């Protein structure tokens, strides 16, 4: 189904109108409509983590030259870096950008790469939040891989939402783990090598642990801390409600 959007119609906020139209649509349809509405001002943010292959494959079928923003924090597992190259090559993604923390931020805030031991929020801020904020400044909309089945605040995740003056698409919000597995099997998508070792959610190596079979998907992240977000999905504009969702 093709949707006709009048982006000049301000009777409802743009994100709300898009969400009303797309909330039950197939992820590929959501991506197609996002690309049609925003063109070159749209990017995908991907961790190339445990569940990333499905969305990356869908994007490759819709717009293989879409900018894909990958946060290379300097503390990722080597397997993630290899997987990023493998998927980009296999899917023909031609515009993957590796976002790294600014040298000055590391030199002043984390010169010995040990900040994660004392302040994980500050570590995430300089290695993820700031690099992504800088990169997203050239876009009007972006795409995430968040899903409701991850639980917590993600249970009410919309398909399209407003976030700090931009439009944010969550094409997989409605999909279950079974949906992801079925799609991956249908297209024979390669799994992240750490999934077989008990890592259902994969971030930086100091703050990610394996999870026992049947455990919560994100329970291996920041174990023992009252932290579930790296910060990139939390609104930072004054007066804006937190836009939580965990994982990209």
């Amino acid at each position: 189904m093709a949707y006709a959007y009048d982006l000049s119609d301000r009777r409802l906020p743009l994100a709300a109108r898009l969400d009303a139209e797309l909330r039950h649509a197939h992820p590929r349809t959501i991506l197609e409509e996002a690309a049609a509405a925003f063109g070159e001002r749209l990017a995908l943010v991907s961790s190339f983590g445990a569940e990333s292959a499905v969305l990356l494959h869908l994007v490759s079928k819709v717009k293989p030259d879409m900018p894909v923003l990958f946060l290379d924090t300097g503390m990722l597992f080597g397997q993630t870096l290899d997987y990023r190259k493998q998927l980009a090559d296999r899917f023909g993604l031609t515009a993957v950008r590796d976002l790294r923390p600014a040298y000055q931020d590391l030199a002043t805030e984390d010169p010995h790469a040990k900040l994660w031991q004392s302040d994980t929020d500050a570590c995430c801020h300089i290695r993820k939040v700031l690099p992504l904020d800088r990169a997203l400044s050239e876009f009007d909309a972006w795409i995430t891989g968040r899903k409701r089945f991850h639980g917590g605040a993600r249970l009410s995740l919309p398909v399209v939402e407003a976030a700090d003056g931009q439009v944010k698409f969550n094409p997989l919000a409605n999909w279950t783990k079974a949906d992801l597995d079925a799609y991956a099997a249908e297209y024979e998508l390669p799994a992240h090598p750490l999934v077989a070792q008990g890592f259902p959610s994969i971030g930086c190596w100091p703050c990610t642990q394996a999870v026992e079979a049947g455990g919560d998907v994100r329970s291996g992240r920041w174990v023992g801390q009252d932290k579930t977000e790296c910060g990139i999905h939390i609104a930072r504009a004054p007066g804006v409600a937190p836009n939580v969702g965990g994982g990209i």
Side-chain angles (χ1 to χ4, degrees):
M1 177 185 299
Y3 299 95
Y5 298 115
D6 178 4
L7 301 186
S8 65
D9 183 355
R10 300 304 177 191
R11 287 174 295 178
L12 281 176
L14 176 58
R17 285 186 280 126
L18 291 171
D19 185 61
E21 294 284 357
L22 299 171
R23 64 182 56 177
H24 301 300
H26 187 277
R28 178 160 178 167
T29 300
I30 297 167
L31 291 171
E32 290 170 344
E33 297 304 321
F38 291 96
E40 300 305 313
R41 302 289 292 178
L42 173 72
L44 165 66
V45 178
S46 178
S47 65
F48 284 82
E51 296 172 348
S52 297
V54 169
L55 186 54
L56 289 163
H57 185 263
L58 284 162
V59 165
S60 76
K61 298 304 181 183
V62 173
K63 193 177 187 332
D65 62 345
M66 182 185 296
V68 178
L69 309 181
F70 170 59
L71 289 162
D72 183 354
T73 64
M75 291 190 171
L76 297 178
F77 291 93
Q79 292 94 327
T80 297
L81 300 177
D82 292 341
Y83 193 55
R84 169 247 181 272
K85 186 177 187 306
Q86 177 190 12
L87 292 187
D89 291 346
R90 175 164 173 169
F91 298 163
L93 297 167
T94 60
V96 179
R97 305 182 188 180
D98 299 322
L99 309 182
R100 298 184 175 90
Y103 173 80
Q104 186 61 34
D105 291 338
L106 293 177
T108 58
E109 303 294 336
D110 194 13
H112 304 295
K114 294 182 178 180
L115 186 58
W116 62 271
Q117 296 177 348
S118 59
D119 191 338
T120 53
D121 285 339
C123 186
C124 288
H125 187 71
I126 63 173
R127 293 178 182 276
K128 290 187 175 183
V129 176
L130 292 179
L132 185 59
D133 280 354
R134 295 179 185 119
L136 285 175
S137 64
E138 67 180 89
F139 299 100
D140 295 327
W142 54 295
I143 300 162
T144 88
R146 295 174 298 160
K147 306 104 183 159
R148 293 192 192 116
F149 78 82
H150 282 180
R154 298 172 293 282
L155 288 171
S156 58
L157 183 69
V159 168
V160 188
E161 60 189 324
D164 298 328
Q166 295 170 313
V167 175
K168 198 169 179 179
F169 292 87
N170 307 302
L172 300 179
N174 294 323
W175 272 22
T176 65
K177 183 65 165 60
D179 292 327
L180 294 175
D181 290 344
Y183 186 96
E186 180 180 357
Y187 292 98
E188 299 181 338
L189 304 184
H192 191 297
L194 289 178
V195 170
Q197 298 180 38
F199 290 82
S201 179
I202 302 163
C204 295
W205 65 262
C207 299
T208 305
Q209 296 182 20
V211 175
E212 292 187 7
D216 181 83
V217 171
R218 290 181 59 81
S219 62
R221 305 291 292 276
W222 303 290
V223 176
Q225 301 182 48
D226 185 21
K227 176 179 172 68
T228 60
E229 293 291 327
C230 66
I232 67 172
H233 293 297
I234 297 177
R236 290 172 290 286
V240 178
N243 177 20
V244 297
I248 54 178

